[in-house]
Amino acid sequence: MPTTSAVLIAEIEDAFAAGFNANRAVYAVPQTAHQLGKARYDAAVGLTYRECSFSDAVTASRLYGEAAGVSKANNLGEEDDCEARLAMLLAWVVVPNRDEARLRASELMYRLGEKFLSMGEQNLGAMQLTNGALAISEMNNPTPEQQKLALETLQHALRLRPRGSADFAYGLTNLAVMESQIAGGLPISERSSAYKSTLKKLNMARRIFTKNNEKAPRSAFHDTVLGNLESWLSHEISLTKEDLYSKAVPDDQDIDLLGLSKSQFVSAAVSNFAAVGLRSLPEWIPSNEEIVTTAISRVPMLKDCIERAERYLAASESPHPQLHLKLYSLRRTANLDSEFPYDSMDALWSTRQMEKYLVWAIKCMNWQDTSDPQSDSRYRALIRRSTECVLHLKSTWSTNDIERLLQRNPLSFRFLACELARMTEWRDAFILLESSRGLTSSRTLNDDACEFTSIRDSTTWVHVTNSPTGSFAVYLRDGVFGGREFDSLSGSTLAAMFSGMINGLLPSQISGASSTAASSAEEIAKAIAPIGDWIYSVSGRDIVIMPGGYYQSFPVWTAGMLGSAVPSGERTVYVCPSRMLAYKNARERDQDNPSSPSIQIEEASSVAGYDTLPWSFHEPRSISSIVGSGTPVTTTSATRESLAESLSNDSITHFTGHSHAKPDPYDSALVTYGDPTTVRDLLGMRIRNRLTILGSCQSGLAMNYMRQDEHLSIQSAIFYAGGELCIGTAWPVRDYVAFAFSVKLYSSMISRRVLTSEWKARSVLNSFADVIRWMRSVTCEELNCLLAEHQVDRINGAPSENAFRFYDWAAFGVVGTSI
């Protein structure tokens, strides 16, 4: 299905064709014919300008087509010029995805350039080839292949220009534009010389312009210079950090580098000293001012170029918003004072350059120093407009382009939502979070996040997430939006608890330090108790928690008063990536005919290369005995193929065995006989079962290292692919813990007639609460009685001791909803 932009581009080109076809039979004497064509051509030129509106572009395109038709009918030979103007229109018109239009413009310009060269028109050919490459350079997101072709095209076009001419200077400037863009993708050791070479080309072009008494393309020239300088300075800052950090650690101090290099350790300490076990930032760490000053000394002419650009802008009568923003960005990077150019942002907004506006808004958010953004009305408006940008791009761009936008701006949309929450713009914050959660995994990149907003229900839907400034809970209930900021739970505080190399929850899981992980989990639960208390206070019976940021790696339902309200049945808590996905999945499931109750047990307790799981081995027998003959139970050795079959057909799929989470969640996998079943595999399946139970380690863990806003785990992947409910674990669980959870869950579901009555998701949650309540209070003696009843090994422990700790029962959670 064509994108909105593709449709608009086709309409512009169709207007040209319509004008051409309507006028290719208009014959006249040569002078009159020329006047007829020129009148149309001149009128079109008046409508051809940078950031031209779509309506003007359509009108101009038809006029260019009419002029080309007159030319064709009368053999005037001006059709190619009209077509070149059409290509320029496409490069300049404002459509939702300007990259699509610029790419099409480039294709037309390349074709015309080759045509002119084949006709011996070297100058015209070079001009069109150059324009085609420049259209690529102006794209927001060109591919490396497109950039490489553009670079080669510019090099070829430059060879066609007489050296020392003004045309050669233009070609040199254009080549510098592309070289500057490509330099960032070169090996680190080659970048400094590449940036220096680009600046030399620009200075050479400036001297040639002066020699030929030619006015340089001043705005484009300064734009390229400033962009090149910022990239170069940022590169030199990185190199300087590496150099100074590696020399900073004192040799006479006994500092545990935690297996890191000196540079890595210092960099980690600067990011978050608590995460590497330091109480404060040591004085021996180089300051940012020292780093930037050293880096600036490696970038010649930096201040001269800044001053030239400032003089140019001061003397210019045009607004030049992009140039003002680039100048501001460079001054910020160089630690030079500068007032944020809000007027330039307004200018971008007025021309509806949505992606460019969004990119600069994100930079502004990262730079802003306002401790109380509510008092800054222009900053507030800028962040609110960003939400409109995201919604607009989602509705008009192709799915590939949206996905690449998210990849280029990881975390940015969540941070924008947190800024909106910090301003108490709860509705906008909620919608922005809905617009950026799990889009790739659920194939909802183009879906309207507001589609289900008007649906009122009594469920409390609450996004819990964080940014560098704090944590935020943003909810929707009965059509009312609200929220709360928890500024003591900032990104750095959470990073130390979750990712800290000393006692972090995630690193301790990776290293197998279960005692450390268990202690870390308890500390996190205490730290975030205020969030659980607040959610409890504003919610009704049913709650859906939609975790983001670090919170997707933790069972928020265990925190504060929620941790007691769930086992008691006072509150029912589901987990879901977003409200939009919950409603969309429910709507699609309503079209399916519910299958008769059946249970498929996928057993993988003794996969080669992994520890044998003795309790897991007996789960199929125990579950079958609990369920009895009322519901069909089938057991199979788990493979990727058997799982796919079960998940697409059976009411309940029960997996018992090993699983593991990975930093890249697509690689998280269930360990099955043969090849593992990865998240990537699960997302490719058509899942239609009612309940999946994953009694395996980390099956619900989204590790928070990559693709954070996808909220992607083995458990959530099953939901994304169409499953209704999925029970999984937030961290590693011991074999007997998973066994006890499973047998008690099935016992509760049998006693509550979950399997024999009309299917209700809430009934599963009631049984889940029964199990958690039992796990929180059962003694070792009582647990051993249960294990003996099922003829499996018993555990060690004093009879009256609690059999399970927080780390055991809190691991389990339910993804899915009851709508």
Side-chain angles (χ1 to χ4, degrees):
M1 181 177 177
T3 66
T4 301
S5 295
V7 171
L8 297 176
I9 292 166
E11 190 172 333
I12 293 171
E13 294 195 60
D14 288 346
F16 184 92
F20 179 84
N21 291 329
N23 286 265
R24 63 181 177 179
V26 176
Y27 300 102
V29 297
Q31 183 176 359
T32 302
H34 176 74
Q35 290 174 344
L36 288 172
K38 187 174 186 304
R40 289 164 171 77
Y41 184 89
D42 289 346
V45 168
L47 295 171
T48 306
Y49 53 92
R50 284 191 175 273
E51 324 307 338
C52 70
S53 68
F54 172 73
S55 60
D56 281 353
V58 171
T59 302
S61 180
R62 183 176 179 89
L63 289 168
Y64 284 131
E66 291 176 1
V70 171
S71 174
K72 180 71 174 177
N74 295 276
N75 295 315
L76 299 179
E78 295 168 353
E79 300 96 296
D80 291 333
D81 190 24
C82 293
E83 207 173 325
R85 283 287 179 167
L86 167 64
M88 188 174 294
L89 262 180
L90 293 174
W92 288 353
V93 66
V94 176
V95 293
N97 187 351
R98 304 212 37 199
D99 278 8
E100 290 186 61
R102 286 166 176 153
L103 182 59
R104 177 57 180 156
S106 177
E107 292 170 353
L108 294 176
M109 291 167 173
Y110 282 163
R111 190 180 71 195
L112 280 170
E114 294 299 336
K115 181 179 180 180
F116 282 131
L117 291 179
S118 69
M119 295 164 56
E121 297 283 355
Q122 183 168 299
N123 189 50
L124 290 175
M127 182 186 303
Q128 288 304 315
L129 291 177
T130 299
N131 289 340
L134 287 179
I136 298 298
S137 75
E138 292 182 357
M139 288 174 64
N140 293 309
N141 187 31
T143 65
E145 293 74 19
Q146 290 164 347
Q147 288 182 316
K148 181 181 178 182
L149 177 59
L151 179 66
E152 293 170 351
T153 301
L154 287 167
Q155 290 169 338
H156 175 52
L158 185 62
R159 290 192 292 270
L160 299 174
R161 305 290 196 178
R163 289 189 67 87
S165 68
D167 284 341
F168 185 84
Y170 279 109
L172 206 57
T173 302
N174 296 330
L175 180 60
V177 170
M178 186 53 63
E179 285 185 348
S180 179
Q181 291 182 3
I182 290 176
L186 295 174
I188 292 175
S189 60
E190 299 176 16
R191 292 179 194 172
S192 295
S193 59
Y195 291 126
K196 186 175 183 179
S197 173
T198 299
L199 194 59
K200 281 185 175 180
K201 285 184 175 66
L202 290 167
N203 283 327
M204 181 188 299
R206 185 167 55 84
R207 289 194 295 271
I208 295 174
F209 281 129
T210 302
K211 179 181 177 182
N212 286 273
N213 296 316
E214 181 84 7
K215 283 190 175 182
R218 302 295 298 280
S219 176
F221 178 84
H222 287 297
D223 189 283
T224 305
V225 169
L226 293 179
N228 183 73
L229 285 172
E230 181 172 10
S231 298
W232 188 1
L233 179 57
S234 298
H235 172 65
E236 296 297 342
I237 288 173
S238 297
L239 293 180
T240 304
K241 284 182 179 178
E242 175 71 25
D243 180 39
L244 296 183
Y245 284 176
S246 64
K247 299 174 182 177
V249 181
D251 294 328
D252 58 349
Q253 294 186 26
D254 185 18
I255 298 174
D256 183 2
L257 297 179
L258 306 173
L260 302 173
S261 68
K262 289 183 177 180
S263 176
Q264 289 171 335
F265 179 84
V266 176
S267 180
V270 170
S271 298
N272 188 358
F273 57 80
V276 292
L278 299 176
R279 294 183 177 179
S280 61
L281 196 63
E283 294 183 357
W284 44 261
I285 289 182
S287 67
N288 182 62
E289 289 74 15
E290 180 183 356
I291 292 167
V292 173
T293 300
T294 304
I296 286 176
S297 67
R298 300 174 180 173
V299 182
M301 297 180 64
L302 176 73
K303 292 187 177 179
D304 287 345
C305 290
I306 288 176
E307 290 173 0
R308 277 200 205 107
E310 288 173 338
R311 288 196 297 270
Y312 168 72
L313 287 171
S316 177
E317 296 181 358
S318 300
H320 300 301
Q322 177 82 353
L323 189 54
H324 275 288
L325 288 162
K326 281 197 172 183
L327 179 60
Y328 173 80
S329 181
L330 177 58
R331 289 185 64 88
R332 288 285 307 213
T333 304
N335 281 349
L336 300 173
D337 292 336
S338 185
E339 184 177 346
F340 187 79
Y342 281 112
D343 290 343
S344 297
M345 291 296 292
D346 291 341
L348 290 181
W349 182 257
S350 66
T351 54
R352 307 300 285 174
Q353 298 185 65
M354 292 295 199
E355 183 183 11
K356 194 168 287 185
Y357 186 93
L358 181 60
V359 169
W360 282 107
I362 289 169
K363 288 184 178 183
C364 174
M365 175 188 66
N366 293 332
W367 289 325
Q368 69 91 19
D369 303 315
T370 305
S371 58
D372 179 17
Q374 296 194 56
S375 64
D376 189 338
S377 60
R378 299 196 77 177
Y379 177 73
R380 186 188 191 96
L382 180 144
I383 299 298
R384 290 198 67 182
R385 284 173 176 174
S386 302
T387 304
E388 186 175 335
C389 288
V390 174
L391 296 177
H392 180 81
L393 297 179
K394 274 197 65 182
S395 66
T396 57
W397 279 21
S398 70
T399 55
N400 287 339
D401 285 328
I402 297 167
E403 186 170 3
R404 289 159 74 184
L405 175 69
L406 293 170
Q407 291 171 351
R408 293 197 309 277
N409 298 279
L411 315 183
S412 296
F413 302 118
R414 171 159 56 86
F415 289 175
L416 280 170
C418 289
E419 281 296 277
L420 287 163
R422 204 154 69 101
M423 299 171 183
T424 68
E425 297 285 353
W426 305 119
R427 181 183 182 278
D428 284 356
F430 190 95
I431 290 174
L432 185 52
L433 288 168
E434 290 281 299
S435 301
S436 56
R437 305 286 294 147
L439 303 182
T440 303
S441 302
S442 60
R443 302 180 182 89
T444 56
L445 287 158
N446 285 121
D447 286 20
D448 181 5
C450 300
E451 180 180 358
F452 302 102
T453 304
S454 60
I455 298 176
R456 299 170 69 97
D457 59 41
S458 59
T459 298
T460 304
W461 301 82
V462 55
H463 283 284
V464 180
T465 191
N466 72 277
S467 74
T469 64
S471 293
F472 300 86
V474 186
Y475 75 87
L476 169 61
R477 179 188 176 194
D478 289 322
V480 176
F481 295 91
R484 170 80 181 274
E485 177 182 2
F486 301 87
D487 55 9
S488 63
L489 294 170
S490 65
S492 59
T493 300
L494 294 175
M497 293 190 289
F498 280 90
S499 303
M501 300 188 67
I502 304 297
N503 296 311
L505 176 62
L506 299 175
S508 60
Q509 289 184 49
I510 294 171
S511 66
S514 58
S515 295
T516 302
S519 298
S520 297
E522 292 184 24
E523 289 301 314
I524 292 172
K526 292 177 184 176
I528 69 172
I531 296 179
D533 292 342
W534 182 82
I535 293 174
Y536 174 88
S537 70
V538 300
S539 68
R541 166 81 184 274
D542 293 330
I543 304 168
V544 180
I545 292 177
M546 298 170 286
Y550 283 107
Y551 294 101
Q552 67 180 354
S553 300
F554 195 82
V556 177
W557 71 266
T558 65
M561 296 177 70
L562 279 183
S564 299
V566 170
S568 69
E570 187 183 353
R571 296 286 193 275
T572 300
V573 177
Y574 305 83
V575 174
C576 186
S578 74
R579 187 175 188 266
M580 176 187 72
L581 282 174
Y583 268 96
K584 182 176 181 179
N585 279 13
R587 183 174 62 185
E588 292 177 355
R589 277 196 308 273
D590 287 343
Q591 300 171 3
D592 296 335
N593 294 319
S595 57
S596 57
S598 63
I599 300 172
Q600 176 71 38
I601 301 176
E602 298 282 337
E603 179 275 324
S605 61
S606 54
V607 176
Y610 292 85
D611 293 338
T612 300
L613 302 170
W615 283 279
S616 171
F617 176 78
H618 292 289
E619 271 189 43
R621 171 179 56 79
S622 294
I623 292 170
S624 295
S625 67
I626 292 169
V627 174
S629 60
T631 301
V633 179
T634 307
T635 300
T636 188
S637 296
T639 65
R640 186 185 299 168
E641 292 73 25
S642 68
L643 270 169
E645 179 68 20
S646 175
L647 291 168
S648 67
N649 293 315
D650 293 299
S651 298
I652 299 177
T653 300
H654 182 101
F655 174 82
T656 179
H658 288 286
S659 60
H660 50 73
K662 293 293 185 180
D664 186 340
Y666 285 110
D667 296 329
S668 299
L670 297 168
V671 178
T672 46
Y673 295 108
D675 294 325
T677 302
T678 66
V679 162
R680 191 174 282 104
D681 296 327
L682 292 168
L683 290 173
M685 296 177 185
R686 182 184 183 275
I687 297 177
R688 286 297 179 269
N689 70 339
R690 297 290 175 176
L691 172 63
T692 303
I693 300 168
L694 306 174
S696 54
C697 297
Q698 297 182 320
S699 54
L701 176 61
M703 292 196 82
N704 198 60
Y705 289 118
M706 297 174 65
R707 311 178 202 277
Q708 286 191 17
D709 290 331
E710 281 299 288
H711 184 197
L712 186 54
S713 65
I714 300 167
Q715 183 183 22
S716 65
I718 290 172
F719 174 78
Y720 285 134
E724 183 172 355
L725 294 178
C726 184
I727 296 176
T729 59
W731 41 65
V733 290
R734 292 175 286 187
D735 188 15
Y736 75 85
V737 175
F739 177 88
F741 176 88
S742 294
V743 298
K744 290 299 290 185
L745 181 66
Y746 281 96
S747 295
S748 176
M749 287 196 295
I750 289 296
S751 66
R752 288 181 176 273
R753 301 178 60 80
V754 174
L755 305 180
T756 55
S757 303
E758 181 183 354
W759 174 265
K760 292 182 180 178
R762 178 186 297 281
S763 299
V764 176
L765 267 291
N766 291 337
S767 291
F768 175 82
D770 291 342
V771 180
I772 299 301
R773 184 169 61 252
W774 173 79
M775 293 182 76
R776 291 185 63 168
S777 61
V778 67
T779 65
C780 289
E781 181 178 23
E782 292 167 334
L783 175 60
N784 277 327
C785 289
L786 175 71
L787 298 176
E789 178 184 338
H790 288 277
Q791 302 175 25
V792 297
D793 292 342
R794 288 183 263 188
I795 67 168
N796 297 321
S800 60
E801 285 183 355
N802 285 343
F804 303 112
R805 54 187 175 173
F806 173 86
Y807 198 63
D808 294 321
W809 60 262
F812 298 91
V814 183
V815 166
T817 57
S818 175
I819 299 177

